[in-house]
Amino acid sequence: MSIEFSSLDLRSYSNEVASHQHDYHQLVLPVAGRLSLSIEHAEGDVTASKAAIIAAGASHGFFASDRNMFLVADVPSSLAPRLESFPAFIDLDEALTRYVGFLSAQVQAQQNTPDLQKQMLGLLIQLLQEKAGVQVQVDQRVAAVKAYIAHNLDQGITLPQLAGVAHLSVRQLNHVFTQSEGCSPQHYLIEQRMQRARDLLESTELSVQRISESVGYSNLAAFSDRFRQCMGRSPRHFRRLSKEIR
C-alpha cells in the first residue's frame, strides 16, 4: 500500500496479533494504553513515555490489550527520508509528551488544515530527531535557496531563479529540495510567505494590503485566498485576534 500525502489520526488496536509492512513511514505516539510492537529485530512498547518509529518497508507486528488510543502519522518516505535513520523506539521527554498531547487534541477537534497538519508533523519530526540525536547533513544548495527565499519574500520569485541560486536544473532542484525538506520549493515558498504574513498580522499595525505586498502579492484577493487555504482562517481573523490580545 502506498500513500501520497501525510496523514495524522487517532487509532485503537485490538488484542489480536497482526503483522504487515508498508512503503511509507509510520509514527506511533501514545495517548492511552499500551501497544506492543516488534519492528524488524527490535521489540518494545508504545506507552506514556515511549513512541515507535516504523521505517518504510520494515516488517512489524503488533497487539494491544485493554482500551487504548494512539496518535498515528503516516508519512510518505519521499517526504521524510530522514526517518530511516531513526531508532525504532524513542523515549519521550516532557516537551515531546506535551506536544503529542497538543497534536491529539488538534486531531480530536478536527481543527487542522492540510497545511497546518504538515507543519505540525514537521515540528514533531524535528523534535524526535533532536531527541534521538540523529545528525542530518545540511545540503548547501538547499540552504542557499532557503536563504534566498527568506531575503526576497517581497519579490516575484520563480522556480528557474531558485534553480539558478542552487546551480541546478529545475528538475534537479525539485528532487534535491523535496528530499531535504519534505516539500517542493514552490510549496516551501508559499509556506514562508504565509507564515511571514501571519507574523506581521499578529505583531504590527500594517494594513492587510501592505502585508500582502510585503510577501510578494500585489493582488489582495489572491493573497487572502492563499492565506485562508494555508492557515484555515482569513488574514483579518488574525488581525482581530492580535488586537484582542493587546
Side-chain angles (χ1 to χ4, degrees):
M1 178 182 177
S2 64
I3 59 173
E4 297 181 3
F5 304 100
S6 301
S7 68
L8 185 65
D9 54 36
L10 293 166
R11 302 177 193 174
S12 295
Y13 295 87
S14 71
N15 58 8
E16 295 182 5
V17 177
S19 61
H20 60 220
Q21 64 185 80
H22 31 67
D23 61 1
Y24 51 87
H25 302 308
Q26 192 169 75
L27 309 178
V28 186
L29 303 135
V31 176
R34 178 187 298 268
L35 178 67
S36 296
L37 277 164
S38 61
I39 305 171
E40 295 292 350
H41 303 298
E43 294 188 358
D45 295 326
V46 178
T47 64
S49 60
K50 184 169 291 188
I53 298 176
I54 304 168
S59 298
H60 54 284
F62 53 91
F63 76 91
S65 59
D66 303 323
R67 298 181 63 181
N68 62 83
M69 183 71 70
F70 300 91
L71 184 66
V72 180
D74 295 333
V75 186
S77 56
S78 61
L79 296 185
R82 307 169 186 174
L83 285 179
E84 294 177 355
S85 58
F86 281 44
F89 297 93
I90 291 182
D91 292 326
L92 301 180
D93 56 20
E94 184 179 354
L96 268 168
T97 300
R98 286 200 304 267
Y99 190 59
V100 170
F102 164 76
L103 290 179
S104 62
Q106 288 289 109
V107 172
Q108 286 178 316
Q110 298 182 336
Q111 293 179 343
N112 51 323
T113 65
D115 282 309
L116 178 57
Q117 179 173 283
K118 185 174 181 298
Q119 292 173 20
M120 293 191 301
L121 275 174
L123 177 55
L124 172 64
I125 292 171
Q126 180 182 334
L127 292 171
L128 290 171
Q129 172 185 311
E130 293 172 356
K131 178 63 180 175
V134 175
Q135 299 297 317
V136 179
Q137 185 176 0
V138 176
D139 190 316
Q140 294 303 317
R141 298 166 299 181
V142 173
V145 168
K146 292 171 66 176
Y148 182 85
I149 288 173
H151 289 93
N152 294 277
L153 285 179
D154 61 334
Q155 303 295 316
I157 300 176
T158 67
L159 193 54
Q161 281 179 321
L162 296 179
V165 170
H167 302 289
L168 296 169
S169 69
V170 169
R171 182 185 62 79
Q172 289 171 327
L173 174 62
N174 271 316
H175 175 74
V176 168
F177 198 96
T178 300
Q179 286 291 309
S180 174
E181 301 302 312
C183 65
S184 69
Q186 301 100 314
H187 193 94
Y188 178 84
L189 172 60
I190 291 170
E191 285 186 339
Q192 294 304 299
R193 290 192 197 278
M194 296 304 108
Q195 188 57 57
R196 173 74 64 82
R198 177 172 176 172
D199 291 344
L200 292 172
L201 286 164
E202 293 179 333
S203 63
T204 75
E205 296 294 337
L206 291 173
S207 68
V208 177
Q209 178 67 53
R210 285 287 303 279
I211 291 173
S212 170
E213 293 169 354
S214 74
V215 295
Y217 284 81
S218 58
N219 186 301
L220 180 57
F223 164 74
S224 296
D225 288 345
R226 178 65 73 179
F227 188 92
R228 186 186 293 274
Q229 289 173 9
C230 291
M231 298 297 177
R233 301 275 188 167
S234 71
R236 298 190 186 283
H237 167 81
F238 290 94
R239 172 48 49 80
R240 288 195 302 270
L241 189 62
S242 69
K243 290 181 178 178
E244 291 173 3
I245 293 174
R246 293 192 193 104

